[in-house]
Amino acid sequence: MFKLAVKSLLARKLRLLLMVFAIVIGVSFVVGSFVISDSLRSTFNSLATNIEGTTDLTVRTSQDFGDNALRPPIDQSNVDLVKKLDGVQAVEGTLNVFSGITPIKANGDPVKRNGPPIIGINTVTSPELNQLIPVDGRPPSGEGEFALDVDAAKDFEFVVGDTYTVLLPAGSKQVKLVGTFAFNSAANDTTGAVLVAFDTPAAQKFFSLEGRFSEIAISVAKGADLAEVQARIAEKLPAGAEVVDRSVKIQETQDDFDEIATIFGSILLAFAMVTVVVSAFLINNTFRIIIGQRIRELALLRALGATGRQVTISVIGEALVIGVVATFIGLFAGIGLAVLLKVLFSALGFSLPDGPLEILPRTIIAATLVGVGVTIVSALLPALKVRQIPPIAALGDDFQLQGTGLRRRIIVGGAVTGIGAVLLGLGLFGSLDTTALLLTLALGALTMFVGINLLSPVFAVPVARGLGWPIARFRGVAGQLARDNSARNPRRTSSTAAALMIGVALISMVAVVGASIKDTFTGLLDNSVEADFFVRPDNAADPTAGFSPDLTAALRARPEIESVEAFRFAQQSVRVGGKTKDLQGTDFKNLLQHLNPDIISGDVPAAGPNDVLVHKDPAKDLGLQVGDSIDMLFIDGKTETLRVAAIYDDASILGNWVVSLDLWDRHFTATVDQFVTVRSLDRTDPTAAAKAVEVETAVYASVKAENKAEFKKTQQRRVDSFLAVVQGMLILALLIALLGIYNTLRLSIYERTRELGLLRAVGMTRAQMRVMIRWEAAIVAVFGAVLGVVLGVLFGVAAASALPSSFIKSITLPLGSLVIYVLVAAVFGLLAAIFPARRAARLNVLDAISHN
Amino acid sequence: MTSIPPPQSPTDTRLAARAVSATKIYGRGDTEVRALDDVTVGFEPGRFAAIMGPSGSGKSTLMHCLAGLDTLTSGEVFIGDIALSPLPEKALTLLRRDKVGFIFQAFNLVPTLNALENITLPLALAKRDADDAWLDEVVTTVGLKDRLTHRPNELSGGQQQRVAVARALASRPDIVFADEPTGNLDSRTGAEILSFMKHAVRELGQTIVMVTHDPVAASYADRVVFLADGKIVDEMQDPTADAVLDRLKHFGD
Ligand SMILES: Nc1ncnc2c1ncn2[C@@H]1O[C@H](COP(=O)(O)OP(=O)(O)O)[C@@H](O)[C@H]1O
Ligand SMILES: [Mg+2]
């Protein structure tokens, strides 16, 4: 039986190729996403070890929660404290500042990388702890000099000896580039980050960290016992400081990197899964058609004595061969894809570190499960149906495999769709953790796709006829035949359309969510923003990016400007009621003149420095009323008891917790402003204020100032470019669907050879035949797209209502885009039909008539 | 072998269709088959002609070449006064659509179209309106009036062939070619179809050329042309089944 399966496959090479191709795409994506995230992780891991250099112990402030980047600096008096201890070889205070630092290029543009940050550091003198290897020039000394890492200097064309402007937390400075260096090794292990170095006193001053360091690095003397030295240091440290060894630091860095690699890999994997599911539909459809065409051959086998089981096994055998071959190819294709993706990302400016490709056994197992598993599952039902074929069918003319009855189809399809909907509902409105949530959603969507696919033959005929009506009306008898052909095999039409449906559904869902987010934001700007101008760092990708408060002060000093409101925020930086929360800081006095967060109760302008503004949701959860007290634990380990001054409704800009900047400065080190709104003195004509804003921000090349309309547009564009990336990846699913349409058409044309010959014999021209085939494909494609849009809108509305109201207040249907998707699907259908149509038109009439 | 000259000169342009020195060779060298070997024959308008001969004698090949479905190796075929060999593919298609009707042995109908749509298919392809009176006459003649909205799978084999006959006649072609139109039917149904065809020639003035190997079918025709090994070997006017059978028995003598 197995030999038979292989023979039968080889007899149909093109079909085999198409199926293999569909699976290869899915498998290669799975492999590619695993390989790239594993490689990233392993590269990062070795890097995490490397960049610790020779530092044995690190003294720093202790921090119970929150991101490492938010860790408060440590007082420099601790350096001397440690220095005197036994067993300590060298001690250096180090600075790593992640925000507010931007060197300006010779042409006036700010230095900017997509992703990796710009980090301000100090130079250290002790050879044991120095990680900067001079490349050109010399180390900086004094407030007039700086150095850059060698890659940044090269990429942004900085010349040693020239003077540049560098924007710093303490303001903008003119400094001379006196040298370049490689970090940690000759390879310059910055993972793409830009390093800007000053000598220690200048760095402390420029970074607004006088008398403080980010950490204190310690090298232990040869022969000294590390644990003993650590204990000795710990004993001497003041409260709120800690000493950790190398392994702790390495682990922390690895965890941070791991998070990035995991997110990256998961996103890729999600897209991979989409392509796998679409491929499964394609394979299933192809198997079903092929078996339909081979009924006579299979019946002959039965007549010659093969049992139903043997015939079924031979079909599954075919699937197995296809799956194995495709997995094998997909494995290599996936590795190629990983390489390609890396190149692509660095071309886009997201540099990923170099390193060997990691191909773990897990990757190969996953590839096999997907490749072989999906193929066999897809072939299973058609293979089981084969048992129905009676030996007598070998003789008869028109044996058709029994499709599922209408009633049963409605019941089963409806039930499956229902289960999918329940799963989706559970995911969207239940409270699951992230992994379970994503799994539930994915499973729910998949189940719904299968359910709709089961149901859709029930309505495929009327819908296809309806969609085909204009074509039948305006493209003559060829159009009419196209419509009839698209409706003649509802099962097949549905399955072919299903592959397209999935891609279109996901794209439509993203479009609905995106449009709703955009509209929410636009509405917000129109209704609740009172300010005239918005000043923000250019680098929107970095949530910690900011600029010197000098700019805020300069704006405030302009007579054309009525008032200026500065905002700062820090993710996961406080604990309230035992949970870690994001925090915003601003001034209460003028806040309502800039923003209108829909105050429910309380008085914002009268709020004092130790007051807090709370969004209604957490207020409700914690049972807070205006005037109540609440304890807030800050990242520096100190707790403040705050009075609730007001409760508000709109969290879209303010978030859930807002404190005064006075309180902020007491607990956070990042002294940069992250967002500033400006109100014109002249309320009717903001031209003068616009000029003032322009003049003041001109000095800050990395700062962007926008009026309301521009700000609105920028925010919309941000959503749009995110949508474009997601939809771009989903296009792949559409391409596979295209392949599915192509495949089905090819097979259908083969089946109908004699009919096509007859049409040609009685006078159908080649052009008319092409029209017929093309429009058949277009109708099927549009059927799939319409189903997809309907499902996508459902998914989108569900997802939008599950999102918090700070993202989505009201749901917007992007009707224009949805119509475009359907039209694009029609074009896709027409494209997919190009070759099958040409093939049909070229059929030799006589051969076709005598074909059987 | 005797060769009886055709009753009218094959160069006569009043003929509905004719072949002049038509030769068709399949394959090359050892496998070369002369399916048609210098055949010259003409078919008068308004008559019912049958082409007979043993299996493999070249009947279908002759018909296909006459109808513009296949091309000759050498020689020429004409529909009316149009020579087919210089025509490009598209012109041939249009010629088939407008001037030729077809009835095949089986699979004559498009399964997605109903009987009426099948009948008017060549007209629809040409975007020509049906001549309603004529259509009505054809449909009545073949007895399909109450079956017009039925799909092929709702019709019996005989009914399907009647639809095929009606289709072949509907566009008033200059000539209708039928390749074993009754080959798949039982003799009673076959007789019905043949009567319709005969009727179409007698009463409606159509021209029909029919390939058959059945002497009874041939007896419906006005004239029988006998083919053997790709050559015209004989012909007979107003044939009877017995005469044809008798003639066939002496084939290869
Ligand atoms: N496409 C073809 N290729 C090769 N030989 C062919 C082809 N079609 C027909 N023949 C040969 O040409 C001869 C005549 O065939 P055909 O016209 O079909 O005969 P008939 O219809 O009288 O049975 C036969 O020997 C047949 O084998
Ligand atoms: Mg024949």
Side-chain angles (χ1 to χ4, degrees), chain B residues 18-27 32-41 57-58 60-66 70-78 85 227-232:
Chain B
R18 64 206 151 94
V20 181
S21 302
T23 302
K24 175 76 181 179
I25 301 171
Y26 287 113
E32 181 180 296
V33 177
R34 266 175 192 269
L36 293 178
D37 191 357
D38 197 24
V39 172
T40 297
V41 66
S57 57
S60 296
T61 306
L62 177 59
M63 196 202 92
H64 291 151
C65 289
L66 280 168
D70 205 352
T71 52
L72 289 172
T73 311
S74 69
E76 186 58 277
V77 288
F78 297 84
S85 68
L227 267 181
D229 291 332
K231 293 195 177 75
I232 305 240

Side-chain angles (χ1 to χ4, degrees), chain A residues 803-852:
Chain A
L803 279 173
S805 67
S806 56
F807 283 109
I808 293 180
K809 269 223 163 85
S810 63
I811 289 159
T812 310
L813 294 186
L815 288 178
S817 306
L818 298 178
V819 169
I820 288 173
Y821 298 156
V822 174
L823 293 181
V824 167
V827 173
F828 265 45
L830 292 175
L831 286 178
I834 287 180
F835 290 106
R838 196 176 289 177
R839 193 184 164 82
R842 294 239 174 101
L843 279 178
N844 178 300
V845 182
L846 276 182
D847 291 349
I849 293 173
S850 49
H851 176 93
N852 49 48

Side-chain angles (χ1 to χ4, degrees), chain A residues 135-468:
Chain A
V135 177
D136 259 341
R138 58 175 174 81
S141 156
E143 291 183 16
E145 299 181 355
F146 79 114
L148 268 182
D149 79 85
V150 59
D151 290 325
K154 200 171 105 220
D155 293 351
F156 301 106
E157 295 169 341
F158 278 71
V159 181
V160 172
D162 286 2
T163 299
Y164 296 90
T165 305
V166 180
L167 307 182
L168 294 154
S172 151
K173 305 285 170 198
Q174 292 289 317
V175 279
K176 188 166 144 192
L177 182 68
V178 295
T180 59
F181 56 84
F183 176 71
N184 198 52
S185 79
N188 192 30
D189 306 330
T190 67
T191 66
V194 173
L195 298 186
V196 182
F198 297 91
D199 79 359
T200 300
Q204 282 179 318
K205 186 171 171 199
F206 291 166
F207 303 160
S208 297
L209 287 171
E210 280 106 334
R212 290 173 292 175
F213 286 114
S214 304
E215 306 177 323
I216 296 167
I218 296 158
S219 152
V220 170
K222 268 210 187 81
D225 184 86
L226 188 75
E228 266 173 39
V229 178
Q230 187 175 4
R232 219 169 288 151
I233 294 172
E235 200 177 302
K236 283 279 185 288
L237 285 180
E242 65 180 8
V243 56
V244 294
D245 68 12
R246 220 178 130 71
S247 61
V248 172
K249 291 266 295 173
I250 290 173
Q251 191 57 51
E252 284 173 2
T253 318
Q254 285 181 350
D255 289 348
D256 285 353
F257 282 148
D258 201 54
E259 211 173 306
I260 301 173
T262 305
I263 290 172
F264 193 68
S266 308
I267 291 172
L268 288 178
L269 202 60
F271 286 114
M273 280 347 242
V274 171
T275 60
V276 166
V277 169
V278 175
S279 310
F281 275 83
L282 196 169
I283 297 161
N284 174 263
N285 201 23
T286 309
F287 264 105
R288 205 163 25 209
I289 298 176
I290 291 177
I291 285 167
Q293 292 178 355
R294 282 172 51 200
I295 285 177
R296 217 184 271 228
E297 173 193 328
L298 294 170
L300 189 66
L301 286 178
R302 296 276 280 120
L304 295 178
T307 64
R309 229 185 99 176
Q310 278 174 314
V311 180
T312 293
I313 286 173
S314 99
V315 171
I316 292 182
E318 278 188 49
L320 188 69
V321 174
I322 292 176
V324 168
V325 171
T327 303
F328 192 71
I329 301 173
L331 211 53
F332 288 98
I335 295 167
L337 191 72
V339 175
L340 202 76
L341 272 178
K342 261 177 93 163
V343 173
L344 194 76
F345 276 111
S346 60
L348 290 173
F350 299 93
S351 27
L352 303 176
D354 285 330
L357 287 176
E358 283 288 319
I359 299 145
L360 302 183
R362 186 260 275 110
T363 306
I364 295 171
I365 293 171
T368 314
L369 277 180
V370 167
V372 179
V374 165
T375 317
I376 290 194
V377 168
S378 310
L380 206 60
L381 276 181
L384 289 175
K385 281 247 162 86
V386 162
R387 291 160 174 254
Q388 291 176 9
I389 301 175
I392 192 75
L395 312 169
D397 233 353
D398 274 336
F399 178 79
Q400 298 261 314
L401 279 177
Q402 207 62 61
T404 316
L406 192 68
R407 250 175 70 102
R408 222 179 114 202
R409 184 174 286 287
I410 291 176
I411 293 170
V412 174
V416 173
T417 311
I419 292 171
V422 167
L423 280 174
L424 278 182
L426 198 72
L428 290 173
F429 302 104
S431 49
L432 300 168
D433 69 52
T434 317
T435 320
L437 174 86
L438 289 179
L439 265 173
T440 314
L441 288 183
L443 209 67
L446 179 61
T447 317
M448 260 188 102
F449 285 136
V450 172
I452 296 289
N453 183 34
L454 285 172
L455 277 179
S456 61
V458 176
F459 50 82
V461 173
V463 175
R465 297 200 135 263
L467 291 173

Side-chain angles (χ1 to χ4, degrees), chain B residues 85-106:
Chain B
S85 68
L87 293 184
E89 198 281 333
K90 170 140 191 197
L92 272 179
T93 304
L94 299 185
L95 178 114
R96 281 201 304 271
R97 193 181 74 190
D98 298 332
K99 297 195 186 302
V100 179
F102 283 101
I103 306 161
F104 298 107
Q105 181 171 354

Side-chain angles (χ1 to χ4, degrees), chain A residues 763-779:
Chain A
M764 180 178 262
T765 62
R766 286 183 169 164
Q768 283 174 317
M769 176 142 297
R770 283 195 293 266
V771 165
M772 178 179 87
I773 307 275
R774 276 199 230 114
W775 285 107
E776 174 182 351
I779 293 171

